[in-house]
Amino acid sequence: MKKMNMDKLKGLLVFCAVLLSTAVFSQTKMSAAEASSFKANVDKQAQKITSITADFEASKYVSVIKNPSKNSGIFKLKGKKLLWKYNAPQQNAMLFDQDKLYMRDDKGKKSTIDLNKNRRFRQLQHLMTETNTGNVLDEKNFSIAYLKHTNGKTAVLTPKNKDMARFIKEVVLTFPNNEYTVSEIKIVEKSNDYTVFKLKNKKFNTSISDSEFKL
């Protein structure tokens, strides 16, 4: 189970996700006033969100491998229920529900993790939930650099928490122009390997039955 847990963690790290489909080459630092206004708008938008459904594409980049591995699927978020369901190339899933993490691998094998006893996965739950709703720009747990570029704005989050900093170097959230919800999340590991989640077809505040949060 330990190996499966680490594989799943690396598959996720890389939250949502949730940046632009092209690389950002030219960006400048926001002024204090710009950063304050941007953060206020993001927080205001996040407070309106009660649920999210979206399609996602995840690309994992590893330095020793020429081409990235790619996965796709759907995710659903409602309150403290967060479901990541991979549909291709393999079918597996992770479900955060309150204090538990439920996992199903591509062979149908299921396992459960008590988040009260696993700080790493608890932090992952917090990161991936708050990226989409709540305190997305969490200055208590992250040092944040606010940048602007042609296609939108970017927030680069560096963990303050020592436990999280052991395996996450930084989290990059990108917001398209005139939008205040994340469209892509890039999570960089300590090794500099990274994963990019792109969210598509996002729908907010739709009715989602609790029965949909199952593996």
Side-chain angles (χ1 to χ4, degrees):
M1 186 175 75
K2 181 178 180 181
K3 182 180 184 299
M4 183 181 71
N5 291 346
M6 290 306 298
D7 288 344
K8 287 296 184 182
L9 177 60
K10 290 179 180 179
L12 280 176
L13 293 176
V14 139
F15 177 171
C16 161
V18 181
L19 304 180
L20 298 171
S21 58
T22 57
V24 177
F25 295 103
S26 178
Q27 47 190 358
T28 58
K29 185 177 180 180
M30 293 186 205
S31 67
E34 288 173 328
S36 179
S37 175
F38 171 68
K39 184 177 185 303
N41 283 321
V42 171
D43 290 344
K44 182 178 180 180
Q45 180 65 36
Q47 290 172 12
K48 299 177 182 178
I49 297 174
T50 58
S51 70
I52 302 175
T53 61
D55 299 320
F56 74 85
E57 293 180 355
S59 300
K60 172 73 174 181
Y61 296 81
V62 180
S63 59
V64 297
I65 300 176
K66 182 178 180 180
N67 297 316
S69 61
K70 296 187 177 183
N71 300 276
S72 62
I74 62 173
F75 93 89
K76 299 179 181 182
L77 175 65
K78 175 185 176 182
K80 292 188 177 182
K81 296 179 184 291
L82 173 63
L83 175 66
W84 286 88
K85 194 171 184 179
Y86 291 79
N87 295 325
Q90 296 179 327
Q91 295 185 346
N92 47 46
M94 298 183 70
L95 170 63
F96 289 97
D97 190 353
Q98 301 296 326
D99 294 327
K100 301 292 183 181
L101 168 59
Y102 304 95
M103 307 173 71
R104 188 200 69 221
D105 65 19
D106 58 309
K107 296 180 180 180
K109 183 179 179 180
K110 297 180 181 180
S111 59
T112 302
I113 294 175
D114 185 344
L115 296 177
N116 291 319
K117 298 179 180 179
N118 191 310
R119 287 187 297 176
R120 177 174 292 189
F121 279 98
R122 172 65 84 184
Q123 291 164 353
L124 181 61
Q125 176 195 38
H126 175 78
L127 174 63
M128 302 198 70
T129 301
E130 297 303 310
T131 295
N132 295 284
T133 62
N135 188 20
V136 57
L137 301 175
D138 181 2
E139 295 180 337
K140 177 180 178 181
N141 292 305
F142 295 93
S143 298
I144 305 178
Y146 296 95
L147 308 173
K148 58 184 178 179
H149 46 83
T150 302
N151 296 319
K153 296 178 174 62
T154 299
V156 181
L157 287 64
T158 303
K160 294 179 180 179
N161 183 289
K162 292 182 179 179
D163 287 335
M164 184 177 288
R166 288 192 182 104
F167 62 99
I168 296 179
K169 181 177 181 180
E170 65 182 22
V171 180
V172 183
L173 308 177
T174 298
F175 303 74
N177 281 324
N178 303 315
E179 291 187 25
Y180 296 102
T181 59
V182 180
S183 63
E184 189 170 299
I185 301 169
K186 176 181 180 181
I187 302 182
V188 183
E189 301 172 37
K190 291 294 289 185
S191 63
N192 287 323
D193 294 339
Y194 64 94
T195 304
V196 176
F197 285 93
K198 297 178 181 179
L199 298 184
K200 300 181 178 181
N201 304 318
K202 292 182 291 182
K203 297 179 181 179
F204 300 101
N205 303 335
T206 59
S207 178
I208 307 176
S209 171
D210 287 344
S211 64
E212 295 183 47
F213 290 91
K214 59 184 179 180
L215 302 183

